[in-house]
Amino acid sequence: MKRINVKGTSGSGKSTFAAELARRLGLPYVELDALHHGPNWSEPTDEEFRARVREAMDAAPGGWVIDGNYEAKLGDTVIGAADTIVWLDLPLGLKLRRLWQRTSSRIRDDVELWSGNKESWRSAVFGWESLFVWMLRGHFRHRREWPRRYGADPRFVRLRSVEEARRWLDTTF
């Protein structure tokens, strides 16, 4: 395993998991959110985003661990190049708790994320595009679509609990 895409919704732990996986493998860790979110939460065009991601992948010819989804914008850019696809399909309640704790501490501690952006209660909780609504929609969409899309793919690893994810990391690496 040298080119791994870690997938999941907000709160699934994909960034933490991917960073640990990259550390264990001695590979660069690439966070798609960092390449996607510009100042004031601006978004690149699909072409610009694909170019940024390809550049990050090309900068790591020995392999990489990339966390994130973004298939609508990236198409097959990451999935097509990955030799392993790990889906952190954790229980909804756990992801909601984690997302609440993470978001609360980021807002309370005024944490800067990518390109000077910071979370707010308004963007996290209110509206159709809020972080929590986005996570809920993704949770159900992924559970509906991803087993059909990736289930027969030999590169696909579906981890359904924190313990299963830890065990996979410990026994695989």
Side-chain angles (χ1 to χ4, degrees), residues 36-96:
H36 185 261
H37 296 296
N40 298 313
W41 297 104
S42 62
E43 297 181 7
T45 66
D46 295 358
E47 295 77 25
E48 291 169 334
F49 189 38
R50 280 192 295 272
R52 290 176 190 175
V53 172
R54 276 195 296 274
E55 184 179 322
M57 292 164 62
D58 290 346
W64 36 258
V65 177
I66 295 178
D67 88 357
N69 307 314
Y70 291 102
E71 286 88 1
K73 287 189 172 220
L74 293 175
D76 214 24
T77 304
V78 175
I79 290 290
D83 58 32
T84 307
I85 304 162
V86 177
W87 175 22
L88 296 177
D89 181 24
L90 302 185
L92 179 61
L94 174 62
K95 291 190 293 188
L96 283 168

Side-chain angles (χ1 to χ4, degrees), residues 101-146:
Q101 290 167 343
R102 182 188 80 188
T103 302
S104 297
S105 67
R106 284 179 174 175
I107 293 170
R108 180 190 63 239
D109 298 337
D110 200 34
V111 174
E112 183 178 315
L113 300 173
W114 316 277
S115 303
N117 296 311
K118 296 179 181 182
E119 289 182 337
S120 69
W121 287 116
R122 181 178 181 171
S123 65
V125 178
F126 301 105
W128 188 243
E129 294 299 317
S130 75
L131 182 57
F132 281 87
V133 171
W134 181 257
M135 189 280 284
L136 286 167
R137 288 189 348 229
H139 173 83
F140 293 108
R141 183 178 66 251
H142 297 165
R143 287 222 167 148
R144 184 178 58 251
E145 296 174 4
W146 287 1

Side-chain angles (χ1 to χ4, degrees), residues 17-48:
F17 183 91
E20 175 60 16
L21 181 55
R23 185 192 68 75
R24 289 183 186 205
L25 291 171
L27 295 172
Y29 164 60
V30 179
E31 185 180 20
L32 290 181
D33 283 341
L35 299 176
H36 185 261
H37 296 296
N40 298 313
W41 297 104
S42 62
E43 297 181 7
T45 66
D46 295 358
E47 295 77 25
E48 291 169 334

Side-chain angles (χ1 to χ4, degrees), residues 144-164:
R144 184 178 58 251
E145 296 174 4
W146 287 1
R148 283 193 308 256
R149 183 179 302 163
Y150 304 118
D153 190 325
R155 304 172 300 160
F156 188 63
V157 177
R158 184 177 184 179
L159 303 173
R160 299 175 195 235
S161 70
V162 172
E163 180 55 37
E164 192 174 359

